[in-house]
Amino acid sequence: MQTLAHFADGGPGPWILLFPVIWALVIGGGVALLRRTGWRGRRGPWRPPTAGDGSPIAVLGHRFASGEIDEDEYWRRLSVLDEQFGRPGGGGAA
């Protein structure tokens, strides 16, 4: 029976195991590259959500940007939210 240990007798030798290792490294490198570049903007289980996404001020800003509320209502509500929650930058509405 021809085994890898008998490579001197015309067998493929232990170097044949190098090709699957090389392919595993190539595939693993491709997956790592895609995770670092292609999926960077998306949230996944490896990235926690940012702190200000669910804050009331951020929600109000999204509603104003989408056109759900007008500018006067935005400033009125923002002044109330500034008093209650404060702004991360420290500045008030003005």
Side-chain angles (χ1 to χ4, degrees), residues 20-42:
V21 170
I22 290 174
W23 278 112
L25 289 174
V26 167
I27 292 171
V31 169
L33 183 68
L34 282 175
R35 288 192 73 178
R36 303 257 318 150
T37 59
W39 298 328
R40 179 168 287 181
R42 299 181 189 163

Side-chain angles (χ1 to χ4, degrees), residues 48-72:
T50 57
D53 284 346
S55 73
I57 294 176
V59 171
L60 180 66
H62 290 296
R63 289 186 63 198
F64 176 64
S66 67
E68 291 180 36
I69 57 175
D70 61 351
E71 186 176 0
D72 293 331

Side-chain angles (χ1 to χ4, degrees), residues 3-25:
T3 63
L4 292 177
H6 297 112
F7 63 92
D9 297 333
W15 56 269
I16 198 164
L17 298 175
L18 183 66
F19 292 112
V21 170
I22 290 174
W23 278 112
L25 289 174

